[in-house]
Amino acid sequence: MDVRVGDVLVMKKQHPCGSREWSVLRTGMDFRLRCLICGREVMGPRAKLEKSIREIRRPEDPDDKKE
């Protein structure tokens, strides 16, 4: 799964604050994520977190557009 720093992940289960959206701060063997509502930061193993991703929202990059 292609997850990059700066992506917003929509998870299957919600955080206790009510948000399902997390910003990716770090990738590798572990992900470091920040909740977009309360700001809580968590780290978790890549294999476990990839299973709980419902959607990946990527900011528009001008370099990605091929016309």
Side-chain angles (χ1 to χ4, degrees):
M1 188 174 289
D2 183 31
V3 177
R4 303 180 205 160
V5 174
D7 289 350
V8 174
L9 305 179
V10 179
M11 307 303 261
K12 291 179 183 175
K13 292 187 176 182
Q14 68 183 22
H15 188 242
C17 73
S19 174
R20 291 179 192 261
E21 297 181 348
W22 296 79
S23 175
V24 178
L25 302 176
R26 178 179 173 266
T27 60
M29 287 297 294
D30 296 324
F31 285 153
R32 183 177 193 109
L33 306 174
R34 176 181 291 142
C35 178
L36 291 182
I37 291 188
C38 68
R40 168 79 63 165
E41 291 185 14
V42 298
M43 284 190 74
R46 180 182 196 106
K48 183 177 179 185
L49 291 176
E50 280 184 345
K51 291 178 184 177
S52 62
I53 295 172
R54 179 169 286 168
E55 178 185 351
I56 299 174
R57 295 184 187 153
R58 190 158 284 139
E60 290 288 327
D61 289 333
D63 299 335
D64 288 345
K65 293 184 180 178
K66 308 242 190 242
E67 296 181 20

